[in-house]
Amino acid sequence: MALETTLDKLHERITAVKHLQALTAVTRILLFAGFTPPSITKILNQPFTVLPDSHPVGHYFNALYQTGFYYQFIGWAQLTAAILLLFPRTAHLGALMFLPIIANIAVLTISVGFKGTWLITLLMTLAATYLVAWDYDRLKPILFGTRSYPAKPFRFGNLAFPVFFGLGGIPVGLIWWLMKLGNFTNYLKVTAILIVIGALFGALVAIHHRYMRVGALAERN
């Protein structure tokens, strides 16, 4: 593939530059240092800010703090990404995990008007994007990897999934009628709609299954 070859050569040239190698190491450690303190704060279930609820930033973080375990879960996710960045062997996983987390934080700080912080988080997002690109060679199967052979077809081909899920709408509709879910006046009509939805769902599954490839990655010349 022309695009894959071009990216491979570009990546090889960039990662061979000594100063960029040092920049990458510095960036990884900086992001590790930037993510660790706020993650510890969340893990210890301590408030992230002392701003009052009257301030948009304080209102958001105070509400987030009230979520309890979810607040701590975010801290653990941040700490995990930071630790993965610390070691060269797992740095690509850390960057891949770090990027969506910091991108979400960047959008948040911009939307609530977190003065000054939005610029820092935006720069951290760019840094994480750079680190993901740096490990292109370890992540490129996500973009260019192709499995050896297609998924095994089912009997009756593409009709199996639509029929199976379409007929599944009948017992579901019966359960809805017995439990009076939704307080509908016409459960027969509801069942018909469920059959149609099930058939459409099954058609999408059939299309996806038909073009899905499995097995080991195909060898490239």
Side-chain angles (χ1 to χ4, degrees):
M1 294 177 63
L3 178 59
E4 182 181 0
T5 302
T6 301
L7 290 176
D8 286 347
K9 292 180 179 179
L10 179 62
H11 178 262
E12 183 178 355
R13 291 177 58 185
I14 291 175
T15 55
V17 178
K18 179 173 62 176
H19 293 88
L20 290 179
Q21 294 170 1
L23 175 63
T24 300
V26 170
T27 303
R28 286 173 176 171
I29 302 306
L30 278 176
L31 292 186
F32 164 78
F35 240 23
T36 301
S39 68
I40 297 298
T41 298
K42 295 182 181 69
I43 291 172
L44 295 178
N45 202 31
Q46 297 176 351
F48 187 76
T49 179
V50 293
L51 293 172
D53 283 344
S54 57
H55 192 285
V57 177
H59 180 74
Y60 174 83
F61 281 106
N62 290 335
L64 184 63
Y65 175 67
Q66 297 300 322
T67 60
F69 176 71
Y70 176 67
Y71 182 72
Q72 295 175 300
F73 171 79
I74 295 175
W76 282 112
Q78 290 178 308
L79 184 61
T80 301
I83 293 175
L84 289 173
L85 277 174
L86 191 59
F87 302 97
R89 184 172 291 274
T90 60
H92 63 299
L93 297 175
L96 203 61
M97 185 175 180
F98 193 101
L99 180 56
I101 296 175
I102 192 61
N104 177 70
I105 295 174
V107 173
L108 167 66
T109 55
I110 293 172
S111 64
V112 298
F114 208 151
K115 294 181 180 180
T117 305
W118 70 268
L119 180 59
I120 297 174
T121 56
L122 183 60
L123 291 174
M124 292 176 73
T125 302
L126 294 175
T129 303
Y130 165 77
L131 292 181
V132 170
W134 181 268
D135 283 312
Y136 155 80
D137 58 319
R138 305 171 78 176
L139 302 171
K140 77 173 200 173
I142 298 175
L143 298 174
F144 299 110
T146 301
R147 298 292 178 179
S148 303
Y149 50 88
K152 296 180 181 179
F154 281 82
R155 192 177 181 182
F156 303 117
N158 296 330
L159 288 176
F161 290 106
V163 171
F164 176 79
F165 287 103
L167 293 177
I170 297 176
V172 173
L174 179 61
I175 293 173
W176 280 30
W177 172 67
L178 293 174
M179 299 182 65
K180 302 301 180 183
L181 292 176
N183 293 320
F184 294 106
T185 57
N186 190 338
Y187 282 92
L188 185 61
K189 184 178 180 180
V190 171
T191 301
I193 294 174
L194 289 174
I195 292 173
V196 173
I197 293 175
L200 291 175
F201 177 83
L204 291 175
V205 172
I207 294 172
H208 182 90
H209 181 265
R210 179 179 179 181
Y211 293 99
M212 181 175 67
R213 301 189 69 84
V214 298
L217 289 176
E219 295 184 3
R220 296 178 178 273
N221 297 325

